[in-house]
Amino acid sequence: MESVIGFRVLPFFVSNSENKYGSRVQVRSLGDADAKVLSSDSVVVNGTSIGGERGKGGTSIGQGNGHLRSKVEEKRRVKDEALETLKPLWNDGYGTETVRDFFDMAKDIVKHDGGPPRWFCPVSCGRPLKDSPTLLFLPGMDGTGLGLVLHHKALGKAFEIWCLHIPVHDRTPFEGLVKLVEETVRFEHALSPHKPIYLVGDSFGGCLALAVASHNPAIDLVLILSNPATSFGRSQLQPLFPILEAMPDGLHSAVPYLLSSIMGDPVKMAAVNIESNFPPGQRFERLSHSLTGLLPYLSGFDDIIPRDTLLWKLKLLKSAAAYANSRLHAVKAEVLVLASGKDNMLPSRDEAERLKNSLQDCVVRHFKDNGHTLLLEDGIGLMTVIKGTSKFRRSRRHSYASDFLPPSMTELNYVCDQIIGLLRLASGSILFSTLEDGKIVKGLAGVPNEGPVILVGYHMLMGVELSSLAEGFLREKNIMVRGLAHPALFSRTAESSSSDFSLSDWMRVFGAVPVTPSNLFKLLSTNSHVLLYPGGSREALHYKGEEYKLFWPDQQEFVRMAARFGATIVPFGVVGEDDVAEVSLCFCFNFYLSSPMIDGKILICLHLMFISSFFLSFFHIF
């Protein structure tokens, strides 16, 4: 009888303990009845203690759950010791591990051990929050299971992560891999029937995730597909496949370099741990150094995907795409598709739209500057995307209150530098508050540190003050202000109007929720700081002569809600936003007319500034 066997390390991590890279894993494999359980003895790899080696086992797929009781006891222990919540500006570890770490770890993990496909848990993920759902990572064509290396620390806070490793010489057919993942999904569902199970499928893994979802419509699954290989039949590389089959072994050493240039953008890979706020010269120097150091690693593809394995994986991709496409109609799961705009291997952008129209519940996000290996490139934090699309939940339904994870320091810095950088610099906003004795001080010392608190204010033009207000509370008081926003920002219409990761997604990352009585009730019940504009969009889109005019309704229901929870109401006002818009418009217009002979790049910038200022000032000038 087959059984599920728990153990702590892949044998290839033990086989060469002198390799210097920082990673350790916990592994759960599926073996036959003759497989033996690991001993508790540990060895040290790069100063890190890990478990002993695996016993002999075949390639069969386990179906039993004889260790269900021990697994339940282990989860109960972890649940009791886990943290309840994350604090704002937590460290998500982005940039501490890079693509070079991927190749260093893959160098040992691909060594032949004769074992079957198996699951491992990267220890760099750490301990997840209490009641975190399970996330199963299904790898792409490399099969290593290390494709989330850039995201381990961030995802590890919100999920219990298991990564599928398919050994380089394993020849398990696609149906066998589907069965393996399906049994694991059912096993996890039996342990936590009220929690969703996340399947993150990268390329080939996307086909695997869709196939498993089609077989299990009754299980609550959330699929996150990164450039899924369901479009393999329309791949731009189809004419090269016969050439690869006929290529002599002596020429195969050149294939890894070809694959690396096709599958990903080396520049985006090298830029992962380079701060975006560096001066251009310093950033270019660091990027050049990082890229130079990365290029020698590309030869590692020859070990990760040798010639025989490459030919097998291409056949596996073909059967996987056909299998998944034939069952799209049966997929009931919630699906998020991430599509690259510069995917030179698959037509991922078009495929994302096809899947959106074919699946019952599918959302798409495009990343126009990334290549096929989206999850290994700079510019995308998977945890950020999950939060921004409201896909993170711990139960059947998403809750804006209990399922909210505060932004990390990386997310705050990215938004301040890349999203609102120019506006932030131009506005130069300063916050003041009033103490209990009536003294006005610079900063937020007059605002209570403990909730529940309702910040009630007047909406300036286009609500541009929101970014400065949220940043000020985060940096000075480490408090997350939960803004009550117009429901249209969260509607399906808004989802379909733009498939890029947009400003509305960033608003969700920073705590925005639809303005409804129930959401206000839930936020106050969790002692949150809530931001409310009673004047709404009409106040933000005021016309000329309506500066500082309130458009509040006669009945202020939030007062009664505040009284019920004993919340402190903090009124506030904003000064100068309308004036800045008028000054900017006049400056750009006059400078634009008086400078006909200017550099092309400056001209483009002036065009953008003119259009932006005109848009900001339109409603109250005319």
Short mmCIF file of all heavy atoms in Angstrom, two decimals, residues 451-456 484 517 520-525 527-528 530 532 556-571:
data_model
loop_
_atom_site.label_atom_id
_atom_site.label_comp_id
_atom_site.label_asym_id
_atom_site.label_seq_id
_atom_site.Cartn_x
_atom_site.Cartn_y
_atom_site.Cartn_z
N GLY A 451 -6.87 52.96 18.12
CA GLY A 451 -8.19 53.08 17.53
C GLY A 451 -9.27 52.59 18.49
O GLY A 451 -8.97 52.17 19.61
N PRO A 452 -10.53 52.64 18.07
CA PRO A 452 -10.97 53.09 16.74
C PRO A 452 -10.97 54.61 16.59
O PRO A 452 -11.30 55.33 17.53
CB PRO A 452 -12.38 52.52 16.63
CG PRO A 452 -12.86 52.44 18.05
CD PRO A 452 -11.66 52.13 18.88
N VAL A 453 -10.58 55.07 15.39
CA VAL A 453 -10.52 56.49 15.07
C VAL A 453 -11.13 56.69 13.68
O VAL A 453 -10.87 55.90 12.77
CB VAL A 453 -9.07 57.01 15.08
CG1 VAL A 453 -9.02 58.44 14.55
CG2 VAL A 453 -8.49 56.95 16.49
N ILE A 454 -11.95 57.73 13.53
CA ILE A 454 -12.48 58.09 12.21
C ILE A 454 -11.92 59.47 11.84
O ILE A 454 -12.17 60.46 12.53
CB ILE A 454 -14.02 58.14 12.19
CG1 ILE A 454 -14.63 56.81 12.62
CG2 ILE A 454 -14.51 58.49 10.78
CD1 ILE A 454 -16.15 56.79 12.59
N LEU A 455 -11.16 59.51 10.77
CA LEU A 455 -10.64 60.76 10.23
C LEU A 455 -11.65 61.27 9.20
O LEU A 455 -11.87 60.63 8.18
CB LEU A 455 -9.28 60.55 9.58
CG LEU A 455 -8.19 59.93 10.46
CD1 LEU A 455 -6.97 59.56 9.62
CD2 LEU A 455 -7.80 60.87 11.57
N VAL A 456 -12.26 62.40 9.48
CA VAL A 456 -13.31 62.94 8.62
C VAL A 456 -12.82 64.25 8.03
O VAL A 456 -12.44 65.17 8.76
CB VAL A 456 -14.62 63.18 9.42
CG1 VAL A 456 -15.71 63.69 8.49
CG2 VAL A 456 -15.06 61.90 10.10
N LEU A 484 -12.12 54.70 3.03
CA LEU A 484 -13.40 54.28 2.46
C LEU A 484 -13.54 54.93 1.09
O LEU A 484 -13.72 56.14 0.98
CB LEU A 484 -14.55 54.67 3.38
CG LEU A 484 -14.57 53.99 4.76
CD1 LEU A 484 -15.64 54.59 5.65
CD2 LEU A 484 -14.77 52.50 4.62
N PRO A 517 -21.82 50.81 4.93
CA PRO A 517 -21.98 50.75 6.39
C PRO A 517 -21.37 49.49 7.00
O PRO A 517 -20.79 49.54 8.08
CB PRO A 517 -23.51 50.78 6.57
CG PRO A 517 -24.02 51.47 5.35
CD PRO A 517 -23.10 51.06 4.24
N LEU A 520 -17.58 49.88 7.27
CA LEU A 520 -17.24 50.79 8.37
C LEU A 520 -17.41 50.09 9.71
O LEU A 520 -16.58 50.23 10.61
CB LEU A 520 -18.12 52.04 8.30
CG LEU A 520 -17.91 53.07 9.41
CD1 LEU A 520 -16.48 53.58 9.42
CD2 LEU A 520 -18.90 54.23 9.26
N PHE A 521 -18.49 49.30 9.85
CA PHE A 521 -18.74 48.55 11.08
C PHE A 521 -17.59 47.57 11.36
O PHE A 521 -17.08 47.49 12.49
CB PHE A 521 -20.07 47.80 10.97
CG PHE A 521 -20.45 47.01 12.18
CD1 PHE A 521 -21.26 47.57 13.16
CD2 PHE A 521 -20.01 45.71 12.36
CE1 PHE A 521 -21.62 46.85 14.29
CE2 PHE A 521 -20.35 44.99 13.48
CZ PHE A 521 -21.16 45.55 14.45
N LYS A 522 -17.17 46.84 10.32
CA LYS A 522 -16.10 45.84 10.51
C LYS A 522 -14.78 46.49 10.86
O LYS A 522 -14.03 45.99 11.71
CB LYS A 522 -15.95 45.01 9.23
CG LYS A 522 -17.14 44.12 8.92
CD LYS A 522 -16.96 43.43 7.58
CE LYS A 522 -18.18 42.59 7.23
NZ LYS A 522 -18.05 41.96 5.88
N LEU A 523 -14.47 47.62 10.24
CA LEU A 523 -13.20 48.28 10.51
C LEU A 523 -13.16 48.85 11.92
O LEU A 523 -12.15 48.75 12.62
CB LEU A 523 -12.95 49.39 9.48
CG LEU A 523 -12.69 48.92 8.04
CD1 LEU A 523 -12.57 50.11 7.11
CD2 LEU A 523 -11.43 48.06 7.96
N LEU A 524 -14.25 49.48 12.35
CA LEU A 524 -14.29 50.02 13.70
C LEU A 524 -14.25 48.91 14.75
O LEU A 524 -13.69 49.09 15.84
CB LEU A 524 -15.53 50.89 13.89
CG LEU A 524 -15.58 52.18 13.07
CD1 LEU A 524 -16.89 52.92 13.34
CD2 LEU A 524 -14.38 53.07 13.38
N SER A 525 -14.83 47.78 14.43
CA SER A 525 -14.83 46.66 15.39
C SER A 525 -13.43 46.08 15.57
O SER A 525 -13.17 45.39 16.56
CB SER A 525 -15.80 45.57 14.93
OG SER A 525 -15.36 44.99 13.71
N ASN A 527 -10.80 48.12 15.71
CA ASN A 527 -10.04 49.25 16.27
C ASN A 527 -9.13 49.90 15.23
O ASN A 527 -7.99 50.28 15.54
CB ASN A 527 -9.22 48.82 17.48
CG ASN A 527 -10.09 48.35 18.63
OD1 ASN A 527 -11.19 48.88 18.86
ND2 ASN A 527 -9.63 47.34 19.36
N SER A 528 -9.61 50.04 14.01
CA SER A 528 -8.81 50.61 12.94
C SER A 528 -8.92 52.13 12.90
O SER A 528 -9.83 52.73 13.49
CB SER A 528 -9.27 50.04 11.59
OG SER A 528 -9.14 48.64 11.54
N VAL A 530 -9.86 54.86 10.39
CA VAL A 530 -10.66 54.88 9.16
C VAL A 530 -10.69 56.29 8.59
O VAL A 530 -10.88 57.27 9.33
CB VAL A 530 -12.10 54.38 9.42
CG1 VAL A 530 -12.89 54.35 8.12
CG2 VAL A 530 -12.08 53.01 10.08
N LEU A 532 -12.59 58.89 6.09
CA LEU A 532 -13.91 59.06 5.48
C LEU A 532 -14.05 60.46 4.91
O LEU A 532 -13.74 61.45 5.57
CB LEU A 532 -15.01 58.80 6.52
CG LEU A 532 -16.46 59.03 6.06
CD1 LEU A 532 -16.84 58.04 4.97
CD2 LEU A 532 -17.41 58.92 7.26
N GLN A 556 -25.54 62.47 8.92
CA GLN A 556 -24.19 61.93 9.06
C GLN A 556 -24.25 60.63 9.87
O GLN A 556 -24.13 60.62 11.09
CB GLN A 556 -23.28 62.96 9.74
CG GLN A 556 -23.20 64.29 9.02
CD GLN A 556 -22.67 64.14 7.60
OE1 GLN A 556 -21.89 63.25 7.31
NE2 GLN A 556 -23.11 65.01 6.70
N GLU A 557 -24.45 59.53 9.16
CA GLU A 557 -24.62 58.24 9.83
C GLU A 557 -23.35 57.77 10.54
O GLU A 557 -23.40 56.97 11.47
CB GLU A 557 -25.07 57.19 8.82
CG GLU A 557 -26.43 57.45 8.21
CD GLU A 557 -27.54 57.44 9.25
OE1 GLU A 557 -27.41 56.70 10.25
OE2 GLU A 557 -28.53 58.16 9.06
N PHE A 558 -22.18 58.27 10.09
CA PHE A 558 -20.94 57.80 10.71
C PHE A 558 -20.83 58.24 12.17
O PHE A 558 -20.11 57.62 12.96
CB PHE A 558 -19.73 58.31 9.91
CG PHE A 558 -19.47 59.78 10.03
CD1 PHE A 558 -18.69 60.29 11.06
CD2 PHE A 558 -19.98 60.66 9.09
CE1 PHE A 558 -18.44 61.65 11.16
CE2 PHE A 558 -19.73 62.01 9.18
CZ PHE A 558 -18.97 62.52 10.23
N VAL A 559 -21.58 59.30 12.56
CA VAL A 559 -21.53 59.76 13.95
C VAL A 559 -22.14 58.72 14.87
O VAL A 559 -21.60 58.40 15.94
CB VAL A 559 -22.26 61.12 14.09
CG1 VAL A 559 -22.28 61.56 15.55
CG2 VAL A 559 -21.59 62.17 13.22
N ARG A 560 -23.27 58.18 14.46
CA ARG A 560 -23.90 57.14 15.27
C ARG A 560 -23.03 55.88 15.34
O ARG A 560 -22.94 55.25 16.38
CB ARG A 560 -25.28 56.81 14.70
CG ARG A 560 -26.39 57.68 15.25
CD ARG A 560 -27.75 57.12 14.93
NE ARG A 560 -28.19 57.48 13.60
CZ ARG A 560 -29.33 57.08 13.07
NH1 ARG A 560 -30.13 56.28 13.75
NH2 ARG A 560 -29.68 57.47 11.86
N MET A 561 -22.39 55.54 14.21
CA MET A 561 -21.51 54.38 14.19
C MET A 561 -20.31 54.60 15.12
O MET A 561 -19.89 53.69 15.85
CB MET A 561 -21.03 54.11 12.77
CG MET A 561 -20.32 52.78 12.61
SD MET A 561 -21.43 51.37 12.47
CE MET A 561 -22.03 51.60 10.79
N ALA A 562 -19.77 55.81 15.10
CA ALA A 562 -18.65 56.12 15.99
C ALA A 562 -19.05 56.03 17.45
O ALA A 562 -18.30 55.53 18.30
CB ALA A 562 -18.10 57.51 15.66
N ALA A 563 -20.26 56.51 17.76
CA ALA A 563 -20.74 56.46 19.14
C ALA A 563 -20.91 55.02 19.62
O ALA A 563 -20.63 54.71 20.79
CB ALA A 563 -22.06 57.22 19.25
N ARG A 564 -21.34 54.15 18.73
CA ARG A 564 -21.54 52.75 19.12
C ARG A 564 -20.24 52.08 19.54
O ARG A 564 -20.21 51.29 20.47
CB ARG A 564 -22.16 51.99 17.95
CG ARG A 564 -22.26 50.49 18.21
CD ARG A 564 -23.15 49.80 17.22
NE ARG A 564 -23.28 48.39 17.52
CZ ARG A 564 -24.13 47.57 16.91
NH1 ARG A 564 -24.94 48.04 15.97
NH2 ARG A 564 -24.20 46.30 17.24
N PHE A 565 -19.12 52.42 18.86
CA PHE A 565 -17.84 51.79 19.17
C PHE A 565 -16.95 52.67 20.05
O PHE A 565 -15.81 52.28 20.35
CB PHE A 565 -17.10 51.47 17.87
CG PHE A 565 -17.70 50.35 17.09
CD1 PHE A 565 -18.60 50.60 16.06
CD2 PHE A 565 -17.38 49.03 17.39
CE1 PHE A 565 -19.15 49.56 15.32
CE2 PHE A 565 -17.95 47.98 16.67
CZ PHE A 565 -18.83 48.25 15.64
N GLY A 566 -17.45 53.83 20.44
CA GLY A 566 -16.63 54.72 21.24
C GLY A 566 -15.44 55.25 20.47
O GLY A 566 -14.36 55.49 21.05
N ALA A 567 -15.60 55.44 19.16
CA ALA A 567 -14.50 55.88 18.31
C ALA A 567 -14.27 57.38 18.44
O ALA A 567 -15.22 58.16 18.64
CB ALA A 567 -14.78 55.53 16.85
N THR A 568 -13.02 57.79 18.31
CA THR A 568 -12.67 59.21 18.31
C THR A 568 -12.81 59.77 16.90
O THR A 568 -12.24 59.21 15.96
CB THR A 568 -11.23 59.41 18.80
OG1 THR A 568 -11.08 58.85 20.11
CG2 THR A 568 -10.86 60.88 18.83
N ILE A 569 -13.56 60.84 16.75
CA ILE A 569 -13.70 61.49 15.44
C ILE A 569 -12.69 62.63 15.35
O ILE A 569 -12.67 63.53 16.19
CB ILE A 569 -15.13 62.04 15.25
CG1 ILE A 569 -16.14 60.89 15.28
CG2 ILE A 569 -15.24 62.79 13.93
CD1 ILE A 569 -17.58 61.34 15.14
N VAL A 570 -11.82 62.56 14.35
CA VAL A 570 -10.78 63.57 14.15
C VAL A 570 -11.09 64.32 12.86
O VAL A 570 -10.85 63.80 11.76
CB VAL A 570 -9.38 62.93 14.08
CG1 VAL A 570 -8.32 64.01 13.84
CG2 VAL A 570 -9.09 62.15 15.36
N PRO A 571 -11.62 65.54 12.92
CA PRO A 571 -11.86 66.32 11.70
C PRO A 571 -10.53 66.89 11.17
O PRO A 571 -9.62 67.20 11.95
CB PRO A 571 -12.80 67.42 12.16
CG PRO A 571 -12.49 67.60 13.61
CD PRO A 571 -12.08 66.25 14.13
#
